[in-house]
Amino acid sequence: MKAISLITATPPSFNPGMLTCEATGKWFLSSKGLFESSKFFRIQSLSDRIKVCDFEMQSVIQSNCEHGIKYNLLTNPDQLHGTIPLFWGDFLHMHLYIKTIKPTWAKDKSDIRKILLLEGASPEIMKNTISYATSILFNTTADYYSKEYGDSLYSFVSNIHHIQMRDAISATIVGSMRPEIENCMGIDAAQLLSLDECAQDILGIPLYNIAKSSPKRALIFFARGKHSEDLVRPFIDELLIAINLKAEWLAWGDRISFPYMEEAWYDLSQTPQKSDLKQSDLKNILSTVVAASVVITDTYHLCAISWALGIPAVLISGIYHEQEIQGKGLNIRVRNDKRKVLMGQDGLLDFYIEPHLMIEVGTRNKIVERLRRAIVDDSFALHFRKLLAVKTRKSEKALLNAINELCT
């Protein structure tokens, strides 16, 4: 059996979504007997990403991000020789990510393309490569036309052994680049939590035991969209009254990972498990989510993970912040909303609430009633978790088959 070289994105600090994806990668390899012989890589060290923090904060972040994986620094594709390179999750092949990430070892963007698109790598490394649960969702039309990025992406996608994208738009685009007709649709790596054995391994306890012993609560976390408090507060208040719950703030990550975290919500009481940053490790925060009756958020991975764990999540989209519009060129083009794409492909668009749905009182009342019926029905979210688990099993099987093909 060839060794796996698992390549993941480096979290900017304590980011439970990214850490969950790493944890599910570890679980997958362990459950298939591949962990001990595997190597783990990032193209930038966590210590390098958080070096702007003071020493105490660095220690807290390092502790919270620890889950038993020793990462090597990937600076040259030759480090992958003789293994199965497995790109795991995130936007690792997307042009915006490649342009934005700046490892200390890189001289220019071609250095990063050599790692994330295997530009100039040997045919042997390329043909042994797998990309799983990745995305190119924010690529522009011009990106695909680019001689530097576009040509490298096409070469990568068309020559690697196997690819599964986490969203339908990315899967459609890369499917057209593959040499044969192929379904490239996969899952988000965090959605492996829809499998009972994965969730129990990462949380350390069966989900039923957590939910049975915990008080009912509604968890709130807003840190992505720009929201009008005059719209969102009445909507959430009406929903909470309808389901007879009080809101509690969930400390889902810190301001380094979520710079748009809104202070307007800090008047809420925090969940007891999360009152101390030093206790915000992944297992605790996921256990807190499992114990909730509903999650209300604007954050992609919190929503995806909640549904994967069988907890209904209401996603309130908001609008873009001014910094995002200027920094990402949204003022001159349309960008796909990864949250809407995720919920659309999983059949959950009823839980994606755009600002216009909260303006008119009559419409808001109907939306709240629709959500209330689903939230108070304990079987509703579990039904969608089972559907997701079926898709996840197929994705996991396809990945394992691809690995086995490279080992024969």
Side-chain angles (χ1 to χ4, degrees):
M1 180 69 76
K2 289 183 180 178
I4 304 291
S5 290
L6 192 85
I7 304 157
T8 62
T10 310
S13 61
F14 181 64
N15 184 315
M18 297 179 72
L19 294 173
T20 297
C21 291
E22 292 181 340
T24 59
K26 178 185 176 184
W27 169 81
F28 173 81
L29 294 176
S30 298
S31 67
K32 307 301 182 285
L34 301 171
F35 179 76
E36 295 301 327
S37 60
S38 296
K39 301 177 182 178
F40 296 83
F41 291 96
R42 290 169 172 165
I43 69 169
Q44 188 175 32
S45 68
L46 178 60
S47 58
D48 183 47
R49 289 213 69 176
I50 63 174
K51 63 184 180 182
V52 296
C53 303
D54 61 44
F55 178 77
E56 182 179 1
M57 181 58 72
Q58 288 185 41
S59 298
V60 171
I61 293 171
Q62 291 277 11
S63 175
N64 286 337
C65 293
E66 174 59 45
H67 45 70
I69 299 176
K70 181 181 179 181
Y71 285 97
N72 302 288
L73 192 63
L74 182 60
T75 60
N76 191 308
D78 289 342
Q79 294 171 261
L80 305 173
H81 185 76
T83 70
I84 299 174
L86 175 54
F87 291 92
W88 188 271
D90 221 282
F91 297 105
L92 296 173
H93 315 309
M94 191 174 69
H95 198 198
L96 181 62
Y97 183 82
I98 289 174
K99 289 191 295 184
T100 303
I101 196 74
K102 192 179 172 99
T104 54
W105 52 263
K107 294 180 181 178
D108 53 42
K109 295 300 181 290
S110 65
D111 289 342
I112 307 172
R113 293 197 303 270
K114 289 175 184 177
I115 302 300
L116 297 182
L117 295 177
L118 299 181
E119 189 178 84
S122 70
E124 180 185 358
I125 292 176
M126 188 79 84
K127 72 180 183 180
N128 283 310
T129 293
I130 294 172
S131 180
Y132 185 75
T134 48
S135 176
I136 53 172
L137 187 61
F138 299 156
N139 272 353
T140 68
T141 305
D143 290 334
Y144 298 113
Y145 183 71
S146 163
K147 285 299 180 184
E148 292 182 337
Y149 171 79
D151 288 356
S152 291
L153 177 69
Y154 183 83
S155 175
F156 176 83
V157 170
S158 61
N159 285 294
I160 65 174
H161 180 68
H162 180 75
I163 185 166
Q164 290 188 51
M165 307 302 280
R166 78 181 191 185
D167 65 271
I169 293 175
S170 297
T172 301
I173 292 171
V174 302
S176 68
M177 299 179 181
R178 298 290 285 169
E180 304 290 340
I181 296 175
E182 184 178 343
N183 179 11
C184 299
M185 183 63 204
I187 60 168
D188 188 288
Q191 292 181 313
L192 284 161
L193 287 171
S194 64
L195 306 180
D196 287 341
E197 59 270 34
C198 177
Q200 181 167 337
D201 177 80
I202 292 175
L203 275 74
I205 186 173
L207 303 191
Y208 175 75
N209 290 359
I210 298 174
K212 185 178 180 181
S213 61
S214 303
K216 299 294 183 181
R217 53 166 60 107
L219 302 180
I220 287 185
F221 180 77
F222 286 104
R224 285 302 188 197
K226 181 180 180 181
H227 302 280
S228 167
E229 191 170 358
D230 292 339
L231 284 180
V232 176
R233 282 280 186 171
F235 177 82
I236 292 179
D237 289 344
E238 188 172 335
L239 177 59
L240 292 173
I241 291 171
I243 59 179
N244 195 29
L245 290 175
K246 290 186 177 181
E248 296 180 10
W249 178 260
L250 176 70
W252 183 266
D254 56 35
R255 192 169 286 278
I256 302 173
S257 287
F258 300 97
Y260 300 122
M261 197 181 301
E262 294 186 348
E263 296 182 3
W265 301 93
Y266 285 5
D267 61 306
L268 299 177
S269 60
Q270 286 200 2
T271 53
Q273 299 96 317
K274 303 279 83 63
S275 59
D276 186 346
L277 178 62
K278 295 181 180 179
Q279 298 301 316
S280 297
D281 61 272
L282 183 62
K283 183 182 295 186
N284 277 339
I285 204 162
L286 293 182
S287 297
T288 303
V289 172
V290 171
S293 298
V294 64
V295 170
I296 305 171
T297 186
D298 62 356
T299 304
Y300 170 88
H301 261 131
L302 176 53
C303 177
I305 288 169
S306 297
W307 282 105
L309 292 172
I311 305 302
V314 178
L315 196 143
I316 300 177
S317 63
I319 61 176
Y320 291 113
H321 294 269
E322 184 64 27
Q323 301 93 312
E324 292 182 287
I325 294 173
Q326 298 304 320
K328 297 178 181 177
L330 294 179
N331 55 330
I332 59 172
R333 67 179 184 86
V334 174
R335 190 184 81 184
N336 293 309
D337 187 325
K338 64 180 180 180
R339 304 164 301 175
K340 190 171 186 177
V341 172
L342 173 87
M343 299 190 79
Q345 68 194 28
D346 287 344
L348 294 167
L349 277 181
D350 282 2
F351 288 79
Y352 182 86
I353 311 300
E354 295 174 302
H356 70 89
L357 295 174
M358 296 181 283
I359 295 174
E360 203 275 321
V361 174
T363 301
R364 188 175 72 214
N365 293 342
K366 292 177 182 178
I367 298 291
V368 166
E369 175 56 21
R370 185 180 69 196
L371 294 174
R372 183 199 67 79
R373 290 196 300 267
I375 293 167
V376 300
D377 181 352
D378 292 337
S379 66
F380 188 93
L382 293 178
H383 169 77
F384 281 89
R385 182 173 188 255
K386 289 177 182 178
L387 292 178
L388 178 59
V390 171
K391 183 170 69 170
T392 300
R393 291 277 184 209
K394 294 176 182 177
S395 173
E396 181 196 30
K397 182 179 180 181
L399 173 59
L400 184 60
N401 287 343
I403 292 173
N404 288 334
E405 287 167 1
L406 292 171
C407 293
T408 55

